[in-house]
Amino acid sequence: MAKTKSTVFFCKSCGFESTKWLGQCPGCREWNTFTEAPSVKAGAARGLGQSARHAGIAGISGAGSEAVRLEEIDMTHQPRMDAGSTELNRVLGGGIVPGSLILVGGDPGIGKSTLLLQTCRQLGAAGRSVLYISGEESLAQIRMRADRIGSFTGNLSFYCETNLDIIEEKLSLWKPEVVIIDSIQTMYREEVSAVPGSVSQVRESTAVLLRLAKGLGIAIFIVGHVTKEGTVAGPRILEHMVDTVLYFEGDRMAAYRILRAVKNRFGSTNEIGVFEMGERGLSEVANPSEYMLNGRPEGASGSVVTCTMEGTRPILSEVQALVSRTNFGMPRRTAAGTDFNRVNLLMAVLEKRLGLALGQCDAYVNIAGGMKISEPSIDLAIVMAILSSYQDKIIDSRTMVFGEVGLAGEVRAVSMVQQRVDEAVKLGFTTCILPKVNLARLKKPEGIRLIGISGVGELLRKGN
């Protein structure tokens, strides 16, 4: 009898499965992404379906196997739950959707467990039944962390387990409204002959939780660790299986944290939530613009305030530039918080269109506060900061600048201009330099001077 092959190969990017190793994945066309993992036992999938039926769990449709018309689908039992946090509600699209599977990723120590523990506290105080399942901490360790946050009330329970077969039985029996799984890399199924955290275990564990969430109508949050590349550990198919993917970003040495939705089936993927880490956990930052501008230098060249849009929220940030004569044959370029290639492109525009000798200078560009901005609307602020540092001229601290810059040196229109200008007025800015083409449809607020420009050459005349 031929020996049954006990291993398969998975693509870490898209989850494509193969019986042999391949250099290039046929699914996503990525190179060197295949990894070997033990295959699922023959009866695993069949056993999962049988256990789900014995537990009384419906299919993903929740309405049997019959097809129904769109207008026949009942939506009365699908109201969103208030997460107890304005910032978290914003990122989720208005609240927690029952029966959804939400993945929360982030660097170690960034505050993922703290965020979800505070969410449990707020949901419990609101009368929701919540179950926190930990595979990394004991109950005593969870209590030590919870005592730093505050008092916990309501129908909130804690459970330590890593065997998903046992967790499946408990969820079918208890049927809480919200479940926290911390973390998915510690969970395992006995049918899968692989260690917890492997590609096979993570994929199968997520599949079990997906069926539980849809069948029982439970909102499940799962914590996922990230790799060195900043993606959730395990196959990329994990992100395709869940309903929402949230990334908790920020520097562990800094106080602020940003919660960003990179996938959301029930809301926008452009919204962010801003939090501040303190001694008693995370607190919401109601006005991120004011927070990001704290400590801005006064009377220093190379500092310009710009406005970027994160979803529907305008956020003011400081763009800093330092230009100095190089001591080496090749000038050095550094960009923090924005695209390095974009900075090189803008410097080439300044050299060509304005005749500046930037090829003999080192240039450093930084988005203060640790924000990562890729929106083209900050082009004009980067250009103005470089000009300010190069000429050693100070930009008025009450001036805000935004606009996209093209290769011909033209300043192009950007979207949502009214929101950007209104945010500048709210924070006390008196001058706004923006694309001239945006002035036509802009309703000018009181107390601010609007300067429209059509090319970067006009900055030399209107910059101060």
Side-chain angles (χ1 to χ4, degrees):
M1 181 182 295
K3 185 177 179 181
T4 304
K5 189 173 181 64
S6 60
T7 60
V8 292
F9 293 86
F10 292 102
C11 173
K12 294 185 291 185
S13 295
C14 68
F16 185 89
E17 183 177 332
S18 173
T19 57
K20 62 181 181 179
W21 187 88
L22 299 174
Q24 185 182 36
C25 174
C28 63
R29 315 302 296 176
E30 294 289 335
W31 289 91
N32 299 323
T33 57
F34 272 84
T35 181
E36 186 177 9
S39 61
V40 182
K41 291 183 179 180
R46 182 168 58 253
L48 175 61
Q50 292 174 352
S51 63
R53 286 193 294 273
H54 291 323
I57 301 175
I60 289 181
S61 65
S65 58
E66 295 295 330
V68 296
R69 297 175 64 85
L70 185 63
E71 59 269 15
E72 296 173 354
I73 300 176
D74 183 17
M75 292 296 294
T76 58
H77 65 289
Q78 292 288 330
R80 291 180 183 262
M81 289 183 285
D82 184 4
S85 167
T86 303
E87 297 297 301
L88 181 56
N89 283 335
R90 176 195 295 272
V91 177
L92 290 175
I96 303 172
V97 176
S100 61
L101 187 60
I102 304 166
L103 173 64
V104 181
D107 295 330
I110 201 67
K112 302 183 297 294
S113 299
T114 300
L115 173 67
L116 294 178
L117 191 59
Q118 289 187 195
T119 302
C120 289
R121 176 173 178 259
Q122 292 157 346
L123 288 170
R128 302 288 184 179
S129 58
V130 184
L131 177 61
Y132 189 103
I133 301 176
S134 176
E136 299 181 343
E137 297 176 293
S138 66
L139 292 176
Q141 292 170 336
I142 296 175
R143 175 66 185 271
M144 291 173 58
R145 190 156 50 87
D147 287 341
R148 296 197 301 266
I149 296 176
S151 60
F152 284 69
T153 59
N155 189 8
L156 174 60
S157 302
F158 296 89
Y159 185 57
C160 292
E161 184 57 67
T162 57
N163 190 330
L164 265 175
D165 297 317
I166 299 177
I167 292 174
E168 182 181 352
E169 295 177 2
K170 297 298 184 183
L171 293 184
S172 303
L173 178 64
W174 296 337
K175 294 183 180 178
E177 295 180 84
V178 180
V179 173
I180 311 295
I181 304 291
D182 189 6
S183 66
I184 190 63
Q185 277 80 15
T186 62
M187 300 294 147
Y188 73 94
R189 299 198 70 233
E190 293 180 348
E191 290 84 356
V192 182
S193 57
V195 297
S198 63
V199 174
S200 301
Q201 286 287 7
V202 169
R203 190 173 71 163
E204 291 300 318
S205 298
T206 305
V208 173
L209 295 173
L210 178 64
R211 291 183 177 92
L212 289 170
K214 305 304 180 183
L216 296 174
I218 300 173
I220 300 180
F221 288 82
I222 57 177
V223 176
H225 300 305
V226 298
T227 62
K228 293 180 179 179
E229 292 78 21
T231 59
V232 176
R236 181 58 63 88
I237 194 175
L238 175 64
E239 297 186 3
H240 299 311
M241 295 170 68
V242 301
D243 297 308
T244 304
V245 180
L246 307 179
Y247 276 99
F248 213 31
E249 304 172 353
D251 187 350
R252 284 185 296 171
M253 302 304 171
Y256 81 95
R257 304 285 190 272
I258 295 176
L259 184 66
R260 188 185 304 273
V262 297
K263 174 188 176 181
N264 192 354
R265 289 175 178 161
F266 313 114
S268 172
T269 57
N270 296 320
E271 298 289 354
I272 67 167
V274 183
F275 299 86
E276 182 179 7
M277 179 64 80
E279 295 181 357
R280 299 184 64 84
L282 294 163
S283 59
E284 300 180 24
V285 178
N287 192 341
S289 297
E290 184 178 7
Y291 182 79
M292 294 297 176
L293 295 179
N294 281 339
R296 188 159 55 100
E298 297 289 341
S301 62
S303 174
V304 178
V305 175
T306 188
C307 183
T308 182
M309 296 299 300
E310 294 288 351
T312 58
R313 167 183 284 182
I315 297 181
L316 269 62
S317 303
E318 181 190 3
V319 178
Q320 297 178 331
L322 178 62
V323 180
S324 59
R325 304 289 289 186
T326 184
N327 294 321
F328 305 97
M330 181 177 294
R332 186 172 181 178
R333 305 278 191 264
T334 301
T338 188
D339 185 22
F340 171 76
N341 294 323
R342 189 72 179 176
V343 173
N344 281 336
L345 182 149
L346 295 174
M347 294 187 66
V349 171
L350 291 178
E351 287 188 276
K352 179 69 174 180
R353 305 304 173 188
L354 301 184
L356 302 183
L358 295 176
Q360 304 173 4
C361 299
D362 295 333
Y364 309 89
V365 176
N366 175 50
I367 307 297
M371 284 281 291
K372 292 181 175 61
I373 304 176
S374 58
E375 190 185 10
S377 65
I378 68 169
D379 288 353
L380 193 59
I382 294 175
V383 167
M384 198 163 181
I386 292 174
L387 282 174
S388 171
S389 179
Y390 180 79
Q391 298 180 339
D392 200 21
K393 292 184 178 180
I394 299 172
I395 305 297
D396 184 9
S397 60
R398 293 174 297 175
T399 299
M400 186 187 74
V401 183
F402 62 85
E404 180 182 355
V405 177
L407 292 180
E410 79 279 13
V411 179
R412 308 177 71 91
V414 299
S415 61
M416 305 180 77
V417 178
Q418 191 68 56
Q419 291 89 329
R420 301 174 198 258
V421 175
D422 291 343
E423 183 73 6
V425 173
K426 185 170 67 174
L427 292 180
F429 285 81
T430 58
T431 304
C432 179
I433 300 177
L434 70 162
K436 190 173 184 179
V437 293
N438 282 130
L439 288 176
R441 298 182 179 180
L442 180 63
K443 183 179 179 181
K444 182 179 179 300
E446 295 292 334
I448 191 169
R449 182 168 63 110
L450 302 179
I451 302 177
I453 63 173
S454 56
V456 293
E458 299 179 38
L459 289 176
L460 299 177
R461 302 190 300 271
K462 300 180 179 180
N464 295 323

